[in-house]
Amino acid sequence: SSIQGNPLLLSGSIQMMGMDETSKFNGGESVGLWVSSNQNTPLSQADIAKNIKFYQSAAGLVSEPRTYWGNNQELHVYGYYPYDTEAATSPEAYLFSVSTDQRQLENMVASDLLWTQKTIMQKEENEKTRLEFNHLMSQIIINVRGSHPDAGSLRECGARLTNVISDALVNLKDGTVSPATTRNDIDA
């Protein structure tokens, strides 16, 4: 290995809400990672990576350019999804907002904040470390059943949640979420 050390090889999984199952990121989706050799360092002063975008690929979660271990045997990784360049501004007080229009799948996905933290030890060359991402926000599932004889008669049906707090301050170092003050109606 060079002076940079071995490349940081990661894979990501998503813990499903209320289940003992995991899912994976889709190809091209990206997470933001801070990587530090000192767990007591604020994220804004991380020495290996500061809100670096890692893409899901066939090789796992990869950054371009690559991120390296350096001379470290232990690293502290803090990550979130979906990636947002604005998270670098204030990672211990990141303002995250859910979309007020949840009728489109892409808006639902963008509103699903995931987070991970893991202390990792350098492994054998080419061995990946798995990061398990967990949901930080709440999910409301509304089931509607109709009695109309035409299949799909509720296809254009919708629901509205009114006066919902739609943003939060998130500490991306420890995963704590505090409600902010913006209230909106959310269409689903």
Side-chain angles (χ1 to χ4, degrees):
S1 61
S2 70
I3 196 161
Q4 297 176 319
N6 293 325
L8 188 58
L9 302 175
L10 303 169
S11 67
S13 65
I14 303 167
Q15 182 64 40
M16 302 306 286
M17 293 180 112
M19 299 181 205
D20 290 332
E21 299 176 22
T22 60
S23 180
K24 294 182 179 179
F25 292 103
N26 294 320
E29 288 186 308
S30 54
V31 302
L33 295 181
W34 282 265
V35 183
S36 181
S37 62
N38 181 344
Q39 73 182 59
N40 297 320
T41 301
L43 294 183
S44 60
Q45 297 173 20
D47 58 343
I48 305 295
K50 295 178 190 169
N51 197 32
I52 298 296
K53 186 186 279 190
F54 280 71
Y55 295 92
Q56 178 63 50
S57 73
L61 293 173
V62 295
S63 63
E64 201 51 54
R66 290 287 205 165
T67 303
Y68 292 87
W69 279 86
N71 293 324
N72 302 292
Q73 293 301 310
E74 178 181 275
L75 292 175
H76 308 280
V77 180
Y78 308 86
Y80 71 100
Y81 168 89
Y83 178 80
D84 181 1
T85 56
E86 294 298 315
T89 306
S90 187
E92 274 93 358
Y94 169 52
L95 182 64
F96 181 79
S97 300
V98 298
S99 172
T100 57
D101 184 355
Q102 298 280 319
R103 295 173 292 185
Q104 302 297 320
L105 180 60
E106 65 190 38
N107 293 344
M108 286 191 296
V109 169
S111 298
D112 189 8
L113 183 62
L114 305 174
W115 179 80
T116 190
Q117 187 283 319
K118 188 170 190 174
T119 298
I120 60 176
M121 305 301 289
Q122 191 158 178
K123 296 185 176 201
E124 295 296 319
E125 206 165 333
N126 297 322
E127 189 178 346
K128 293 180 196 152
T129 298
R130 187 174 130 219
L131 301 176
E132 187 173 288
F133 287 78
N134 293 289
H135 298 268
L136 288 184
M137 307 305 278
S138 296
Q139 178 184 34
I140 298 172
I141 298 173
I142 300 170
N143 293 310
V144 180
R145 182 186 304 163
S147 58
H148 196 279
D150 292 337
S153 62
L154 295 175
R155 189 165 293 158
E156 299 301 318
C157 178
R160 173 171 283 176
L161 302 172
T162 58
N163 201 29
V164 175
I165 295 176
S166 59
D167 57 7
L169 287 175
V170 182
N171 183 328
L172 293 171
K173 181 157 185 171
D174 65 16
T176 56
V177 177
S178 303
T181 58
T182 304
R183 290 188 174 271
N184 281 304
D185 294 344
I186 297 179
D187 293 320

